[in-house]
Amino acid sequence: MEYLGFLPLLLLVALLALQLGLAAYAASQAGTAARAAARTAASADHHGDPRSTARSAVSQWLVDDPADFGYQESGGDDVTATVRIRVPSVVPGLDGWWAERSTTMAVEPAWP
């Protein structure tokens, strides 16, 4: 009977561990998307749109709502792609976390 008192605490710890795992996964996906977008934007032949490349590099369930995904690109000789992904929440009250990663790559020279 006394173990039932610890059950809510154990459930909360399990939910917090799951939330931490989701945050790490979102950060990893943001880094992958930023690298893919920067690679596309920096390529000499520039096949494809960097934003759509970044979005397609992220798991679909993570960014099924367009408001959960943000992309920004800047640069001149170097291209910097920044991707923001909203971290899904399983713990009530922990909404509004974002994972943001940036990648910078040198622009390839154009072929003559």
Side-chain angles (χ1 to χ4, degrees):
M1 204 48 152
E2 52 193 57
Y3 290 112
L4 288 177
F6 284 108
L7 189 59
L9 180 63
L10 291 175
L11 287 175
L12 181 63
V13 169
L15 283 176
L16 288 174
L18 181 62
Q19 184 68 50
L20 183 63
L22 282 172
Y25 182 69
S28 173
Q29 289 286 290
T32 300
R35 281 190 303 276
R39 190 177 310 115
T40 300
S43 66
D45 50 7
H46 202 68
H47 290 300
D49 176 38
R51 180 182 177 84
S52 62
T53 301
R55 182 149 175 125
S56 65
V58 178
S59 295
Q60 186 63 35
W61 67 269
L62 198 56
V63 292
D64 56 352
D65 183 11
D68 293 342
F69 180 82
Y71 175 76
Q72 184 179 9
E73 182 181 321
S74 63
D77 293 338
D78 296 334
V79 173
T80 301
T82 303
V83 174
R84 289 185 60 179
I85 298 174
R86 185 183 310 270
V87 177
S89 177
V90 293
V91 178
L94 290 182
D95 296 335
W97 285 17
W98 288 86
E100 182 175 316
R101 295 292 182 263
S102 297
T103 300
T104 302
M105 289 193 180
V107 175
E108 294 177 359
W111 292 94

